[in-house]
């Protein structure tokens, strides 16, 4: 399975971006997706996750109400809609996948992810 993250860029505070995570390979529709991010000098942290069926979504407290994760099974793509961005959201964002992932503890477990995409940089600055 290969994951391709895209959509990062420079945005002003209060602005919006949509990240995409396109997957290819066998059985990709059976993989949950999670977004993680790593800011300069900080550890990687969980941002949002969606179960393989798309029925369950999870968010870090820091992004709840501002970010929305979704998936389009027909396109094998997951999205992270990010609104009301602030400088603290500046980071490299990574997409990850786990087969048959359903629960919150699976979504947040970076070590349990089976595949990772290359990161996409999001910079929030005026």
């Amino acid at each position: 399975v290969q994951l391709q993250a895209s959509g990062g860029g420079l945005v002003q505070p209060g602005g919006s971006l949509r990240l995409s995570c396109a997957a290819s390979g066998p059985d990709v529709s059976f993989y949950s997706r999670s977004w993680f991010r790593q800011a300069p000098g900080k550890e990687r942290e969980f941002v949002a996750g969606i179960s393989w069926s798309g029925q369950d979504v999870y968010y870090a407290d820091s992004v709840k109400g501002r970010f929305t994760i979704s998936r389009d099974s027909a396109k094998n793509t997951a999205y992270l809609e990010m609104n009301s961005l602030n400088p603290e959201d500046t980071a490299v964002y990574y997409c990850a996948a786990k087969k048959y992932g359903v629960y919150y503890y699976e979504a947040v477990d970076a070590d349990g992810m089976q595949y990772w995409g290359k990161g996409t940089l999001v910079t929030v600055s005026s």
Side-chain angles (χ1 to χ4, degrees), residues 12 15 21-22 29-31 37 50 68-69 74-75 78 84 88 94-95 117 120 123 126:
Q12 292 188 339
C21 174
S29 61
F30 296 115
Y31 283 79
R37 67 186 181 186
I50 187 166
T68 302
I69 189 170
K75 297 181 178 179
S84 302
E88 289 69 40
Y94 298 92
C95 175
T120 184
T123 303
S126 55

mmCIF file of all heavy atoms in Angstrom, residues 12 15 21-22 29-31 37 50 68-69 74-75 78 84 88 94-95 117 120 123 126:
data_model
loop_
_atom_site.group_PDB
_atom_site.id
_atom_site.type_symbol
_atom_site.label_atom_id
_atom_site.label_comp_id
_atom_site.label_asym_id
_atom_site.label_seq_id
_atom_site.Cartn_x
_atom_site.Cartn_y
_atom_site.Cartn_z
ATOM 1 N N GLN A 12 -2.611 32.119 5.864
ATOM 2 C CA GLN A 12 -2.648 33.113 6.931
ATOM 3 C C GLN A 12 -3.462 32.611 8.106
ATOM 4 O O GLN A 12 -4.356 31.765 7.939
ATOM 5 C CB GLN A 12 -3.252 34.407 6.395
ATOM 6 C CG GLN A 12 -2.371 35.123 5.376
ATOM 7 C CD GLN A 12 -2.916 36.485 5.010
ATOM 8 O OE1 GLN A 12 -4.103 36.777 5.184
ATOM 9 N NE2 GLN A 12 -2.047 37.342 4.485
ATOM 10 N N GLY A 15 -7.163 31.102 8.203
ATOM 11 C CA GLY A 15 -7.448 30.531 6.896
ATOM 12 C C GLY A 15 -7.737 29.038 6.948
ATOM 13 O O GLY A 15 -7.793 28.431 8.018
ATOM 14 N N CYS A 21 -5.062 12.441 1.203
ATOM 15 C CA CYS A 21 -4.210 11.257 1.378
ATOM 16 C C CYS A 21 -4.736 10.194 0.425
ATOM 17 O O CYS A 21 -5.716 9.506 0.734
ATOM 18 C CB CYS A 21 -4.249 10.778 2.813
ATOM 19 S SG CYS A 21 -3.372 9.231 3.094
ATOM 20 N N ALA A 22 -4.101 10.070 -0.719
ATOM 21 C CA ALA A 22 -4.518 9.104 -1.719
ATOM 22 C C ALA A 22 -3.790 7.784 -1.493
ATOM 23 O O ALA A 22 -2.580 7.772 -1.274
ATOM 24 C CB ALA A 22 -4.220 9.637 -3.110
ATOM 25 N N SER A 29 -9.322 -0.109 0.596
ATOM 26 C CA SER A 29 -10.586 0.315 1.197
ATOM 27 C C SER A 29 -10.766 -0.227 2.604
ATOM 28 O O SER A 29 -11.647 0.216 3.335
ATOM 29 C CB SER A 29 -11.762 -0.117 0.314
ATOM 30 O OG SER A 29 -11.782 -1.518 0.187
ATOM 31 N N PHE A 30 -9.946 -1.192 3.002
ATOM 32 C CA PHE A 30 -10.052 -1.794 4.328
ATOM 33 C C PHE A 30 -9.094 -1.182 5.349
ATOM 34 O O PHE A 30 -8.918 -1.722 6.439
ATOM 35 C CB PHE A 30 -9.813 -3.291 4.242
ATOM 36 C CG PHE A 30 -10.845 -4.019 3.428
ATOM 37 C CD1 PHE A 30 -10.502 -4.645 2.251
ATOM 38 C CD2 PHE A 30 -12.170 -4.054 3.842
ATOM 39 C CE1 PHE A 30 -11.449 -5.304 1.489
ATOM 40 C CE2 PHE A 30 -13.128 -4.708 3.093
ATOM 41 C CZ PHE A 30 -12.770 -5.335 1.911
ATOM 42 N N TYR A 31 -8.490 -0.080 4.980
ATOM 43 C CA TYR A 31 -7.530 0.558 5.865
ATOM 44 C C TYR A 31 -8.116 1.816 6.489
ATOM 45 O O TYR A 31 -8.693 2.657 5.801
ATOM 46 C CB TYR A 31 -6.259 0.943 5.108
ATOM 47 C CG TYR A 31 -5.349 -0.224 4.841
ATOM 48 C CD1 TYR A 31 -5.617 -1.100 3.800
ATOM 49 C CD2 TYR A 31 -4.229 -0.443 5.635
ATOM 50 C CE1 TYR A 31 -4.782 -2.184 3.555
ATOM 51 C CE2 TYR A 31 -3.390 -1.513 5.392
ATOM 52 C CZ TYR A 31 -3.673 -2.387 4.348
ATOM 53 O OH TYR A 31 -2.849 -3.449 4.123
ATOM 54 N N ARG A 37 0.955 14.930 12.994
ATOM 55 C CA ARG A 37 1.750 16.087 12.601
ATOM 56 C C ARG A 37 2.954 16.209 13.524
ATOM 57 O O ARG A 37 2.932 15.744 14.657
ATOM 58 C CB ARG A 37 0.926 17.369 12.630
ATOM 59 C CG ARG A 37 0.469 17.809 14.012
ATOM 60 C CD ARG A 37 -0.463 19.013 13.912
ATOM 61 N NE ARG A 37 -0.902 19.481 15.224
ATOM 62 C CZ ARG A 37 -1.802 20.444 15.399
ATOM 63 N NH1 ARG A 37 -2.371 21.046 14.348
ATOM 64 N NH2 ARG A 37 -2.143 20.812 16.628
ATOM 65 N N ILE A 50 -9.944 8.205 11.000
ATOM 66 C CA ILE A 50 -11.221 7.714 10.514
ATOM 67 C C ILE A 50 -11.106 6.214 10.312
ATOM 68 O O ILE A 50 -10.104 5.724 9.793
ATOM 69 C CB ILE A 50 -11.648 8.439 9.217
ATOM 70 C CG1 ILE A 50 -13.056 8.046 8.796
ATOM 71 C CG2 ILE A 50 -10.642 8.220 8.085
ATOM 72 C CD1 ILE A 50 -13.659 8.965 7.735
ATOM 73 N N THR A 68 -11.868 18.579 10.103
ATOM 74 C CA THR A 68 -12.801 17.509 9.775
ATOM 75 C C THR A 68 -12.105 16.482 8.901
ATOM 76 O O THR A 68 -11.529 16.830 7.866
ATOM 77 C CB THR A 68 -14.027 18.050 9.031
ATOM 78 O OG1 THR A 68 -14.680 19.041 9.828
ATOM 79 C CG2 THR A 68 -15.016 16.923 8.734
ATOM 80 N N ILE A 69 -12.166 15.225 9.325
ATOM 81 C CA ILE A 69 -11.598 14.144 8.535
ATOM 82 C C ILE A 69 -12.730 13.415 7.827
ATOM 83 O O ILE A 69 -13.826 13.247 8.371
ATOM 84 C CB ILE A 69 -10.772 13.173 9.407
ATOM 85 C CG1 ILE A 69 -10.000 12.177 8.534
ATOM 86 C CG2 ILE A 69 -11.637 12.464 10.437
ATOM 87 C CD1 ILE A 69 -8.972 11.353 9.304
ATOM 88 N N ALA A 74 -14.613 5.679 -3.161
ATOM 89 C CA ALA A 74 -14.502 5.514 -4.612
ATOM 90 C C ALA A 74 -13.153 6.005 -5.126
ATOM 91 O O ALA A 74 -12.635 5.501 -6.124
ATOM 92 C CB ALA A 74 -15.636 6.243 -5.309
ATOM 93 N N LYS A 75 -12.592 6.994 -4.443
ATOM 94 C CA LYS A 75 -11.309 7.553 -4.854
ATOM 95 C C LYS A 75 -10.159 7.052 -3.994
ATOM 96 O O LYS A 75 -9.016 7.463 -4.201
ATOM 97 C CB LYS A 75 -11.356 9.083 -4.791
ATOM 98 C CG LYS A 75 -12.356 9.714 -5.744
ATOM 99 C CD LYS A 75 -12.320 11.223 -5.639
ATOM 100 C CE LYS A 75 -13.301 11.866 -6.626
ATOM 101 N NZ LYS A 75 -13.300 13.335 -6.540
ATOM 102 N N ALA A 78 -8.506 9.925 1.601
ATOM 103 C CA ALA A 78 -8.978 10.538 2.837
ATOM 104 C C ALA A 78 -8.599 12.017 2.813
ATOM 105 O O ALA A 78 -7.600 12.402 2.198
ATOM 106 C CB ALA A 78 -8.367 9.853 4.047
ATOM 107 N N SER A 84 -9.942 27.674 10.476
ATOM 108 C CA SER A 84 -9.506 28.511 11.608
ATOM 109 C C SER A 84 -8.084 28.181 12.020
ATOM 110 O O SER A 84 -7.778 28.022 13.201
ATOM 111 C CB SER A 84 -10.466 28.335 12.794
ATOM 112 O OG SER A 84 -11.781 28.669 12.444
ATOM 113 N N GLU A 88 0.020 27.725 15.666
ATOM 114 C CA GLU A 88 0.339 26.477 16.381
ATOM 115 C C GLU A 88 0.037 25.241 15.538
ATOM 116 O O GLU A 88 0.444 24.126 15.899
ATOM 117 C CB GLU A 88 -0.434 26.401 17.697
ATOM 118 C CG GLU A 88 0.033 27.367 18.790
ATOM 119 C CD GLU A 88 -0.283 28.819 18.462
ATOM 120 O OE1 GLU A 88 -1.386 29.078 17.935
ATOM 121 O OE2 GLU A 88 0.574 29.697 18.732
ATOM 122 N N TYR A 94 1.416 14.117 8.330
ATOM 123 C CA TYR A 94 1.616 12.781 7.777
ATOM 124 C C TYR A 94 0.310 11.997 7.798
ATOM 125 O O TYR A 94 -0.444 12.043 8.768
ATOM 126 C CB TYR A 94 2.654 12.014 8.590
ATOM 127 C CG TYR A 94 4.029 12.623 8.602
ATOM 128 C CD1 TYR A 94 4.406 13.521 9.598
ATOM 129 C CD2 TYR A 94 4.968 12.296 7.618
ATOM 130 C CE1 TYR A 94 5.670 14.089 9.613
ATOM 131 C CE2 TYR A 94 6.243 12.858 7.631
ATOM 132 C CZ TYR A 94 6.580 13.749 8.629
ATOM 133 O OH TYR A 94 7.832 14.301 8.638
ATOM 134 N N CYS A 95 0.109 11.257 6.719
ATOM 135 C CA CYS A 95 -1.022 10.347 6.641
ATOM 136 C C CYS A 95 -0.516 8.941 6.925
ATOM 137 O O CYS A 95 0.572 8.560 6.482
ATOM 138 C CB CYS A 95 -1.622 10.425 5.237
ATOM 139 S SG CYS A 95 -2.938 9.266 4.926
ATOM 140 N N GLY A 117 2.638 7.858 4.593
ATOM 141 C CA GLY A 117 2.965 8.654 3.424
ATOM 142 C C GLY A 117 4.053 9.660 3.776
ATOM 143 O O GLY A 117 4.362 9.875 4.956
ATOM 144 N N THR A 120 3.419 16.440 4.306
ATOM 145 C CA THR A 120 3.145 17.669 3.563
ATOM 146 C C THR A 120 3.188 18.815 4.560
ATOM 147 O O THR A 120 2.599 18.740 5.632
ATOM 148 C CB THR A 120 1.799 17.592 2.821
ATOM 149 O OG1 THR A 120 1.610 18.775 2.040
ATOM 150 C CG2 THR A 120 0.619 17.407 3.762
ATOM 151 N N THR A 123 2.163 25.629 6.776
ATOM 152 C CA THR A 123 2.728 26.781 7.470
ATOM 153 C C THR A 123 1.639 27.830 7.620
ATOM 154 O O THR A 123 1.059 28.278 6.637
ATOM 155 C CB THR A 123 3.912 27.380 6.696
ATOM 156 O OG1 THR A 123 4.911 26.358 6.492
ATOM 157 C CG2 THR A 123 4.537 28.530 7.476
ATOM 158 N N SER A 126 1.396 35.026 8.995
ATOM 159 C CA SER A 126 0.997 36.252 8.314
ATOM 160 C C SER A 126 2.189 36.894 7.622
ATOM 161 O O SER A 126 2.058 37.930 6.972
ATOM 162 C CB SER A 126 0.358 37.224 9.299
ATOM 163 O OG SER A 126 1.227 37.469 10.388
#
